[in-house]
Amino acid sequence: VQTGLGLRINAGGRRTYFCMPRVNGVQEKVTLGTTDNLGLAEARDECREVYRNAEKGIGKMRRVELERQKRIEAERTMANSFRSVAEAWLSDTGKGGGAGLKSKSEVESRLEREVYPAWGDRLIQEIRRADVRELVDGIAQTKPVAANRALASVRRIFNWAVSKDKIDASPALGIEPPGIEKSRDRILSDDEITRLWIAFEKLGPPFGPLFKILLLTGQRRNEVGGLQWTEIKDNLWTLPGDRAKNARPHTIPLTPLATEILEEIPRTESFRHVFTS
């Protein structure tokens, strides 16, 4: 039983918990909530809190002000969390914000996988150089190259935050990538190409033709995967800058075999992409 807790039932059957503490000699009526959204145990806890505040001279108006201040602080904290700042940066890059991202989806996935678990809810102003080093070194223990990519992403986020006056300086400044990367020099032998081509034939559309075009053009997976019919004309494929890794448009000649494969793919009016699934 909680002293001071009451239940009011109106003519329509609505049941409302309330209490009437005395604050600085003046009695107040405080509505706690209805039985639809407040259980009895919760109402008792709310009532105890009201009376504790009343003993400190904190009345209804003061409680409202304190709640307002708490909401403002929570909103400020949320807006300045690392995740919120990173999402704002990603949004800004899509509006010509200068970050020049090649693939936002890859960056988003990397942040979700490598960074947000450690920093997502932290205020960006509280992240220090030691935190950056700890994060990057932790990833590098098993995935050195992934650590390099994560460092590159967070460095750009911090730099953007500096440009927007959210922080004074980047805590990633001067931290070197932990992983040593080597250029890939692996190429397929004629026998491997033959075996792959046979496998592509068995695989069928849409992925069989897609892999064939990958092999014939030497372009990147996402570039071929996003190929649109409007980009193909007169045996040439014009890749727009917003889909190219270097952010520059360029033209790829299509061999007769590549053209033949593309011509065999049925066009669907509802899809602008060549490879659909």
Side-chain angles (χ1 to χ4, degrees):
V1 178
Q2 172 59 43
T3 302
L5 177 63
L7 180 67
R8 184 177 66 254
I9 306 175
N10 67 14
R14 186 180 179 84
R15 301 164 186 257
T16 306
Y17 291 111
F18 71 94
C19 58
M20 299 183 68
R22 190 173 292 276
V23 183
N24 299 323
V26 179
Q27 194 166 46
E28 292 184 347
K29 183 176 181 179
V30 180
T31 299
L32 302 175
T34 68
T35 54
D36 293 332
N37 55 31
L38 204 64
L40 179 57
E42 294 171 313
R44 286 171 176 163
D45 291 340
E46 293 277 353
C47 185
R48 291 191 192 99
E49 183 65 21
V50 168
Y51 275 95
R52 277 195 291 265
N53 286 330
E55 291 174 0
K56 300 174 184 177
I58 301 174
K60 187 174 182 180
M61 296 302 295
R62 178 59 177 158
R63 285 196 304 274
V64 171
E65 176 60 21
L66 290 173
E67 287 297 324
R68 188 184 73 85
Q69 291 177 4
K70 284 172 63 177
R71 286 196 300 272
I72 292 173
E73 181 61 25
E75 290 170 0
R76 186 191 74 82
T77 299
M78 181 176 296
N80 288 284
S81 69
F82 181 86
R83 178 188 285 270
S84 294
V85 174
E87 289 173 350
W89 167 71
L90 283 164
S91 176
D92 194 43
T93 59
K95 301 173 184 177
L101 292 181
K102 282 81 176 180
S103 173
K104 283 190 179 182
S105 61
E106 289 181 14
V107 176
E108 289 171 333
S109 177
R110 183 180 308 126
L111 292 172
E112 288 284 357
R113 187 174 58 252
E114 311 288 359
V115 184
Y116 290 159
W119 293 353
D121 296 330
R122 289 189 61 177
L123 286 173
I124 194 168
Q125 296 92 338
E126 296 178 352
I127 298 174
R128 300 290 180 257
R129 182 182 175 86
D131 298 318
V132 178
R133 189 176 298 283
E134 180 182 3
L135 175 77
V136 173
D137 288 347
I139 300 171
Q141 289 181 7
T142 54
K143 297 176 288 185
V145 174
N148 292 355
R149 302 290 185 271
L151 175 60
S153 295
V154 301
R155 179 180 285 134
R156 298 175 85 171
I157 293 167
F158 286 128
N159 288 343
W160 182 86
V162 170
S163 73
K164 299 298 180 180
D165 296 323
K166 292 181 177 293
I167 55 176
D168 295 328
S170 169
L173 186 65
I175 294 182
E176 297 295 329
I180 298 175
E181 300 189 37
K182 298 179 180 179
S183 299
R184 289 174 289 184
D185 55 7
R186 172 75 164 87
I187 60 173
L188 297 173
S189 67
D190 290 347
D191 180 60
E192 287 173 325
I193 292 174
T194 300
R195 290 158 61 190
L196 275 174
W197 199 267
I198 293 172
F200 297 159
E201 289 283 355
K202 292 180 179 179
L203 187 59
F207 297 107
L210 184 148
F211 292 146
K212 288 179 179 179
I213 297 299
L214 275 171
L215 188 61
L216 291 169
T217 63
Q219 300 306 297
R220 295 178 176 87
R221 178 189 57 194
N222 290 343
E223 294 171 351
V224 174
L227 176 61
Q228 300 181 24
W229 290 112
T230 55
E231 297 171 2
I232 302 171
K233 185 177 180 180
D234 298 330
N235 299 327
L236 294 174
W237 168 20
T238 302
L239 181 66
D242 60 357
R243 291 207 305 104
K245 186 172 183 179
N246 61 6
R248 296 178 180 177
H250 57 278
T251 301
I252 302 102
L254 296 173
T255 64
L257 180 55
T259 301
E260 179 183 338
I261 292 168
L262 292 171
E263 288 176 347
E264 291 176 355
I265 298 174
R267 299 196 182 198
T268 307
E269 292 184 2
S270 58
F271 289 101
R272 65 179 183 273
H273 291 92
V274 175
F275 303 106
T276 62
S277 63

